[in-house]
Amino acid sequence: HTVAANSPFIIEGSKIQQHLSHCQKAVIIAATIGSNIENIIEKSFQTGDYSHALLLDAAATTAVEQTADSLEKNIEPMIAALGYKRIWRFSPGYGDWAIDCQPEMIRLSKASAIGINTTSSMMLTPRKSITAVIGLIPQTDPFLTEKPSCANCSQRDCPSRIPMINDQFRENTD
């Protein structure tokens, strides 16, 4: 897939190409909760307060994920007015989509304006940051827009299935 931009952005990887296969347009997003929390986490580790540091790190990860979730939901009225629906966001590093596209994701999303950059190994800084593509498909397209999960998977006897879902499934079939 190629994203139309001033210079074409070629997206490589079978999983991301499959994910975007029904899309006519895409939105590239970036989100961060900044670097202040990273400094607090680092100080907690340095002072030996490991539990506090781990809890803060987990909370920061949740915060940036919720921020990205909100961005996804906030674009829905705009895209619906244009006749589209969104599929779930997909970030570099998921599946076989290499992270070496991060500089282009930052450029296209203008993420540097909110302080997001990359390291030489293509990791985002601040660490609690996300870039992602959200595919837009026509509202009339029957393509499944829900993120795959145990809850919407048809493979009921999967050994990796979440135990609670397995228990509910067993109760409903007895």
Side-chain angles (χ1 to χ4, degrees), residues 17-38:
Q17 288 188 13
Q18 179 183 357
H19 181 72
L20 297 175
S21 64
H22 288 242
C23 298
Q24 292 181 353
K25 295 183 181 287
V27 175
I28 296 178
I29 65 166
T32 186
I33 59 167
S35 59
N36 289 344
I37 191 69
E38 289 179 29

Side-chain angles (χ1 to χ4, degrees), residues 121-141:
S121 61
M122 297 300 140
M123 299 303 293
L124 296 176
T125 62
R127 281 186 319 111
K128 301 306 178 182
S129 300
I130 290 174
T131 61
V133 63
I134 300 170
L136 305 182
I137 60 176
Q139 289 175 349
T140 57
D141 191 315

Side-chain angles (χ1 to χ4, degrees), residues 40-41 43-59:
I40 296 167
I41 292 167
K43 285 179 185 172
S44 294
F45 272 121
Q46 289 172 352
T47 60
D49 196 354
Y50 303 117
S51 296
H52 186 249
L54 289 171
L55 289 171
L56 284 176
D57 189 76

Side-chain angles (χ1 to χ4, degrees), residues 102-103 106 116-125:
Q102 288 290 25
I106 288 171
I116 300 176
N117 292 294
T118 61
T119 64
S120 60
S121 61
M122 297 300 140
M123 299 303 293
L124 296 176
T125 62

